[in-house]
Amino acid sequence: MSASAKLPPFDAADPLGIDDLLEPEDLAVRDTVRAWAADRVLPYVADWYEKGELPGIRDLARELGSIGALGMSLTGYGCAGASAVQYGLACLELEAADSGIRSLVSVQGSLAMYAIHRFGSEEQKLQWLPRMAAGEVIGCFGLTEPDHGSDPASMRTHAKRDGDDWVLGGRKMWITNGSVAGVAVVWAQTEEGIRGFVVPTDSPGFSAPEIKHKWSLRASVTSELVLDDVRLPATAVLPEVTGLRGPLSCLSHARYGIVWGAMGAARSSFEAALDYARSREQFGRPIGGFQLTQAKLADMAVELHKGILLAHHLGRRMDAGRLRPEQVSFGKLNNVREAIEICRTARTILGANGISLEYPVMRHATNLESVLTYEGTVEMHQLVLGKALTGLDAFR
Ligand SMILES: Cc1cc2nc3c(=O)[nH]c(=O)nc-3n(C[C@H](O)[C@H](O)[C@H](O)COP(=O)(O)OP(=O)(O)OC[C@H]3O[C@@H](n4cnc5c(N)ncnc54)[C@H](O)[C@@H]3O)c2cc1C
């Protein structure tokens, strides 16, 4: 028998055999999230996207809680305590359905819950985390402001002490989940530096008008946060962190999920293009039989599976406690940039059908325009890597 007869067959869905790296528990997590998204998101998401809404978001959140997807890699307080790889696989499956659903989960788990879990008091953790893990309370994370995005250190939102209380004033912009949140983690300038505050959204002076007219992440709630002298007790501040290190470490955790998630949007677009190329005929034969189409498909598959392999590598480093923020920047920069490129190429293979919501490709491509910008733009991650490589800070 020749050596090649013993080789496993080529699998178009996993050409590098990356699944061999997964444990049975990893596959179980992936299958659970994939089945949930197939049932609860895929049949409806084009319609939500077209209407620019995410109806039933509270039910979706509870269901995501019931499958353990919220605060998934956190431990205790009702969280699933999953590995970083398992969390990443969940992000990939959710974003293969829609980046808006993955954003809901990322903001809930990696930003709002992570901030409370890592920097909160025991009282704050007990008050919020179990209900957030169950999806009973939705959280949001307010860092960006109308005039301060990439440079959050210059934020104007402020918190001043008044007796034992804190009084918060300012505005936050582009906040995912804002209008549906029961709790907001808000970052503000104080006399001691930037601090995080856990703000119940029914506090007097707090409002969260929804941002309309988006052409990206349409199946996701995005809002402004208005803080008009919001009075909070002394216990509202996150006690364990002062300075930008607080929000940046939350962002690093969420970016890690995006490294995986972006490959989900890319996989969905690749699959749509491959399927179409096999069945669509021009000049008397399937367009997948033309060399130019095959070159596109081969290049897309190479970038898709390189990106998934990179995500795995970073996940294993995170599980080993060895993942540096610069490595997360490496992954976010590469995978989101390549995912958009894959979606754009897929769109060309679908021809005119590529612009239709009947296919997922254009929806993913426009969603990824937001993903390219939020959690640090391409340029910010280039600057992070540039600084790490040269030792020279080029941010200002
Ligand atoms: C749909 C959506 C959801 C979001 N959700 C949240 C959320 O939940 N919470 C939250 O806090 N924020 C959220 N954001 C905001 C997001 O994080 C910011 O948009 C992002 O940080 C960029 O800030 P900006 O839009 O103000 O762009 P700017 O910072 O104004 O940047 C504009 C351009 O200038 C470039 N630039 C800036 N500085 C430099 C420099 N030094 N060198 C070179 N180029 C530079 C940028 O890379 C970019 O290309 C969301 C955004 C979107 C679109």
Side-chain angles (χ1 to χ4, degrees):
M1 196 188 287
S2 73
S4 64
K6 292 181 192 151
L7 291 175
F10 181 81
D11 179 0
D14 183 20
L16 290 178
I18 300 174
D19 279 3
D20 291 354
L21 300 174
L22 299 176
E23 302 294 334
E25 311 83 66
D26 304 334
L27 294 169
V29 167
R30 185 174 74 179
D31 290 349
T32 300
V33 179
R34 190 181 286 184
W36 179 83
D39 180 41
R40 292 293 288 119
V41 181
L42 283 177
Y44 315 106
V45 69
D47 193 42
W48 299 339
Y49 192 92
E50 189 156 28
K51 292 183 177 142
E53 59 185 32
L54 190 48
I57 182 171
R58 292 179 198 285
D59 291 337
L60 291 172
R62 281 197 193 88
E63 291 172 29
L64 285 161
S66 74
I67 61 168
L70 303 178
M72 191 171 181
S73 58
L74 304 178
T75 49
Y77 308 97
C79 303
S83 70
V85 167
Q86 289 166 0
Y87 171 56
L89 289 165
C91 288
L92 189 150
E93 294 303 326
L94 292 170
E95 196 145 358
D98 193 82
S99 304
I101 301 296
R102 200 269 308 138
S103 298
L104 164 64
V105 168
S106 288
V107 169
Q108 177 84 352
S110 285
L111 293 179
M113 291 175 72
Y114 183 86
I116 296 170
H117 193 273
R118 175 135 182 221
F119 302 120
S121 64
E122 193 55 26
E123 184 192 345
Q124 289 166 339
K125 292 179 198 180
L126 289 169
Q127 183 181 1
W128 296 107
L129 292 179
R131 285 185 295 151
M132 293 174 84
E136 288 162 15
V137 174
I138 295 178
C140 70
F141 182 90
L143 180 66
T144 306
E145 300 187 350
D147 295 329
H148 303 97
S150 301
D151 178 20
S154 306
M155 71 173 68
R156 282 213 210 103
T157 298
H158 51 270
K160 293 199 173 116
R161 284 196 190 270
D162 184 24
D164 280 347
D165 292 349
W166 289 95
V167 179
L168 248 69
R171 274 173 71 201
K172 297 291 179 181
M173 194 68 181
W174 299 110
I175 306 305
T176 303
N177 298 348
S179 320
V180 290
V183 64
V185 172
V186 175
W187 300 92
Q189 300 280 7
T190 72
E191 280 183 355
E192 305 140 24
I194 290 172
R195 304 289 310 259
F197 294 86
V198 183
V199 185
T201 57
D202 59 1
S203 304
F206 181 98
S207 59
E210 190 169 347
I211 297 173
K212 294 288 183 187
H213 311 300
K214 290 179 300 176
W215 281 117
S216 171
L217 278 192
R218 289 174 59 73
S220 171
V221 173
T222 316
S223 317
E224 210 178 322
L225 303 186
V226 180
L227 300 142
D228 196 2
D229 288 338
V230 177
R231 182 170 287 273
L232 299 168
T235 52
V237 71
L238 291 172
E240 300 300 333
V241 74
T242 301
L244 214 50
R245 183 175 69 84
L248 292 188
S249 53
C250 303
L251 287 170
S252 195
H253 198 261
R255 283 168 189 154
Y256 162 75
I258 292 174
V259 174
W260 286 87
M263 288 297 112
R267 185 189 74 192
S268 168
S269 296
F270 173 76
E271 285 172 354
L274 182 60
D275 203 39
Y276 195 84
R278 284 181 175 138
S279 59
R280 171 75 174 175
E281 293 194 3
Q282 290 294 293
F283 299 96
R285 61 193 179 110
I287 60 169
F290 297 122
Q291 290 182 353
L292 291 175
T293 309
Q294 290 196 0
K296 288 180 187 176
L297 290 168
D299 287 350
M300 289 158 81
V302 165
E303 290 308 329
L304 171 61
H305 295 283
K306 266 161 61 181
I308 295 175
L309 203 50
L310 170 58
H312 266 279
H313 172 68
L314 298 185
R316 288 172 162 222
R317 289 190 75 82
M318 185 177 256
D319 278 326
R322 292 176 55 77
L323 183 63
R324 292 195 53 83
E326 297 87 348
Q327 294 166 338
V328 178
S329 284
F330 187 122
K332 203 238 172 197
L333 174 62
N334 181 77
N335 281 15
V336 182
R337 200 164 55 182
E338 294 304 330
I340 284 206
E341 215 37 58
I342 288 169
C343 293
R344 288 176 182 154
T345 308
R347 204 217 58 72
T348 68
I349 292 176
L350 269 72
N353 280 324
I355 71 154
S356 168
L357 265 176
E358 296 292 321
Y359 295 87
V361 175
M362 191 76 172
R363 177 168 54 81
H364 286 310
T366 54
N367 277 339
L368 286 172
E369 293 293 340
S370 288
V371 182
L372 199 66
T373 284
Y374 70 23
E375 310 269 352
T377 64
V378 168
E379 294 77 13
M380 289 304 112
H381 293 298
Q382 287 172 323
L383 292 177
V384 168
L385 283 175
K387 182 178 167 192
L389 292 167
T390 64
L392 302 169
D393 184 338
F395 283 89
R396 317 185 171 268

